[in-house]
Amino acid sequence: MGGKSLLPSMRLDDLLSELQGRLAAVLATRDRVHALLEAVVSIGSDLDLETVLRRIIKAATTLVDARYGALGVIGEGGTLERFIPVGMTEEEIARVDHWPHGKGLLGLLIKEPGTLRMADLAEHPLSYGFPEGHPPMHSFLGVPITVRDEVFGNLYLTEKAGGGAFDEEDEIVVSALATAAGVAIENARLYDESRRREGWLRISAEVTAGLLSGEDPGEVLTVMARRAMELTGADTVTVSFPLAETMRIEIAEGLGAEHLRGCAVSREDSLAAIVVHTGHSQTAPDVKERMARPAHLEQVPLGPAIAVPLGQPEAVRGVLSLAKRAGSPSFSEVDLRTAEALGGQAAVALELADARRDAERLGLLEDRDRIAKDLHDVVIQRLFAVAMTLMSTVKMVDDPTASARLRHAVDELDQTIKEIRSTIFALQSPPQAGQVRSLRGQVTELVEASREQLGFMPGIRLEGPLDNTVPEEVAEQLRAVLREALSNVARHARASRAQVLVGVSEGTLLLEVSDDGVGIPEGGRRSGLRNMAERAARLGGTFTAERAEGGGSRLRWRVPLRQG
């Protein structure tokens, strides 16, 4: 009887125990569902992509009690563009030799997206092992994250708490989280693109306003470069221009700008030079791997880089280059498109600047031509008429003093007409951009430079087509003689006035230097005068040095323009 009474009690205990276990499982499931919902809400509550990715990893490790977690973002070519670890200390991260590149087991998940669960990583035939400094890991759960039917990346979870393996329920929970993560990532991407678009519109308006207001193109390019750095998350931006054999960096902002600005980089050592040669944008995961190590980069720890042309492929005006700090993730396709759009605007800035300079140069030439015509057609004709009137008046004046004054006035008018004609010729023959300084400019510069030695500014008169008819070998001798003559006046003449005449007439070049000093002393040193005479003789010309009327001295150096 006693044994029979115990049987129902034992069955009831089993039933109660089973019920308790099921209730515990239900409660655990409920808690996991709540935790999953909280994780979904958490990762969807922020629109910053970087924050969203880190929340996804942390939520996944919490849901399945994993010690370590990581998210690998798949880039171009089926490799891991980014690898974001969680659960490791800063010291452990620093000890890792390198992060995975997407080969071996992780490469399998990229090529064949799907869930992968294992009790021990080392047992898989494609396992590569771990890089030096990496902590040991055994249990593994990998789940893909899909965004709009495209695999964005994979969640990697290792080291289940308690040393066990991940189970089917863990896989279901993480898969559900990955689905929600795909939506959160897509929202963050859309938000990021909208912010970029807003930033692009703002920058475009800013640059356009600068262009239309006539700002200096250098300022416009600097603003554009800074905004490009902000939009793409770059640490350094440069704008460089091609020279004969180098690329010169004219604008540099951000990390290492002080080392980069003003540098001239060899065409073989520059990513920007490749852009100039090909006419197309270039990207590099590490700027130092795509070229030799130029000295200016040794001081700047740069890694991923992009370079885009300013202008059309057949006519690249310059290059906009952006780079991130070494170890940073590569630039995205959106970053490249943004940089190319800004590069297009920069090219417009350069074209407008050239057009504005051409318009200003044309306006200046038109003004010079108008002034020259007015001088020739109006001023000279009136002066000539006045001179003729005075000449006719001289015969009617009996007073010798008044007659002499009239003749002097006529001579002054004649000299003035000659000077105006010289000015007209200079106005009608302006120096072209890129040409060396004209002979007129060189002579004027030499005369102005003598002011300090002389203590006064000599007078200067330039006549005839000096810039077009005087050969360089003759011009070189002329400059040497002029320097010597002015030096003699400063050292020996004790003059208060001096006059320089350089003119071309009837195939002959004349240099005349006169002063009101003490004149040429008898028996003095004449080495300087002898040098001037020898220079004239070598060119088939003549040289004279004489006392001037009324005191002082006059040097005349005359040579033919056609040698032989």
Side-chain angles (χ1 to χ4, degrees), residues 181-221:
V183 176
I185 291 170
E186 176 63 10
N187 290 338
R189 275 179 161 182
L190 292 174
Y191 175 69
D192 185 58
E193 287 184 10
S194 68
R195 283 197 309 171
R196 283 176 179 271
R197 193 174 295 111
E198 180 184 351
W200 160 246
L201 291 174
R202 184 182 70 253
I203 293 169
S204 179
E206 185 178 3
V207 173
T208 301
L211 294 176
L212 295 178
S213 66
E215 285 187 17
D216 180 79
E219 292 295 328
V220 176
L221 290 178

Side-chain angles (χ1 to χ4, degrees), residues 484 488 491-492 524-534:
E484 182 71 29
N488 285 343
R491 288 182 295 170
H492 308 302
R525 294 181 60 187
R526 295 177 174 266
S527 58
L529 300 179
R530 188 165 50 252
N531 288 337
M532 296 184 216
E534 290 174 355

Side-chain angles (χ1 to χ4, degrees), residues 10-20:
M10 291 176 63
R11 289 179 178 173
L12 181 59
D13 289 342
D14 291 340
L15 290 172
L16 288 173
S17 178
E18 183 179 351
L19 179 60
Q20 186 176 7

